[in-house]
Amino acid sequence: MKFWDFFKAWLTLYFVIASGIFFVRAVYTMIFYPEYVLTNQAVLHTFVLALVASLPSFILFSNNEDSIFNAKARLITHFVVLEGVMLLLGGWLEWYETFVQALGIALTVLVVYAITMGISWLNMIKTADDINKAIEKRNNDADKIDQKGNRE
Amino acid sequence: MNIRFEKISPQEQEEILVRSQEMTTEIVHIMHLLDDAVSVVKFCGAGNKAVQISAKDILYVESVDNKSFVYCGDEVIEVKHKLYEIESELQRHGFFRASKSLIINSNAIKRVSPELSGRFRALMSNGETVIVSRKYVPVMKDIFGV
């Protein structure tokens, strides 16, 4: 993948994450803090958080086609860096005070990461199924054509 | 049986039409011969020797160390063409670029399965598997109308 293509994908990811945080924040405050007024600082924090969460994805960029081993290594590195960065940011924004709370954040990141990977994997399985159905249909059609004697 | 040629305008699609009262084994044979003839691709092989291969027999074409190899089942033929030249020649026969160094015959794919990092593994009709890289997955989806 060319760097520019990757950058475009990253930019999309950045805005998806930022929008997601805004959405979650809106729902959360609406339920638990109805009096809450969105501050400039909160908006800034959201954009910084989206930036920090999306920046590690550059680890996944490769100009060459990776081997399966390299792809796995990149994925694991990406996850570890993301965990580290989120914990550092969490410390700066005072999301946690105790070790258990920090562990909770690390687990949350793990769960969100697993869900994202799961959705992506399910999407790929669906694509593979659709292609396999198309192959099966094509083969059946070809058999029918052969039986009639016509070939296209 | 009459055999005639009809000239058409450049805008029209070239076509071979066999008209008959009924389908006979002779006609099936003729149609098979025609089909094989139109799918033949000419390559320049080792020692500048002309090589003719039916596109249907080619599973994939791979480029290794700036050399291109055509894989037809158990047979591997080295040809003196760049991969992009072969790609443009084979596109009309259902071939597509699967990675930087690989062109696959979509008609020879038996199954595909997902792989890590957005890639797909394609099982070919001879049992071999090849990787379709993430960049070219949209091309493969397009070929199969997905």
Side-chain angles (χ1 to χ4, degrees), chain A residues 65-66 68 124 132 138, chain B residues 100 106 112 115-116 119:
Chain A
E65 281 154 21
D66 272 345
I68 298 287
M124 285 187 68
N132 288 333
R138 182 193 64 193
Chain B
K100 229 167 163 178
S106 68
V112 294
E115 274 284 326
L116 206 69
R119 291 181 281 200

Side-chain angles (χ1 to χ4, degrees), chain A residues 1 63-68 71-72 75 121 124-125 127-128 130-132 134-135 138 148-151, chain B residues 23 32 35 56 99-100 106-107 109-112 114-120 133 140-141 144 146:
Chain A
M1 190 183 259
N63 239 333
N64 302 316
E65 281 154 21
D66 272 345
S67 64
I68 298 287
K72 278 182 188 169
L75 206 66
W121 185 252
M124 285 187 68
I125 287 177
T127 303
D130 289 344
I131 292 173
N132 288 333
I135 291 171
R138 182 193 64 193
K148 278 169 71 184
N150 290 324
R151 298 177 94 191
Chain B
M23 182 64 75
H32 284 196
D35 193 31
K56 289 182 292 180
S99 72
K100 229 167 163 178
S106 68
N107 297 308
I109 296 177
K110 273 174 85 178
R111 278 193 76 77
V112 294
E115 274 284 326
L116 206 69
S117 257
R119 291 181 281 200
F120 281 84
S133 78
M140 178 172 70
K141 284 167 77 175
F144 289 105
V146 173

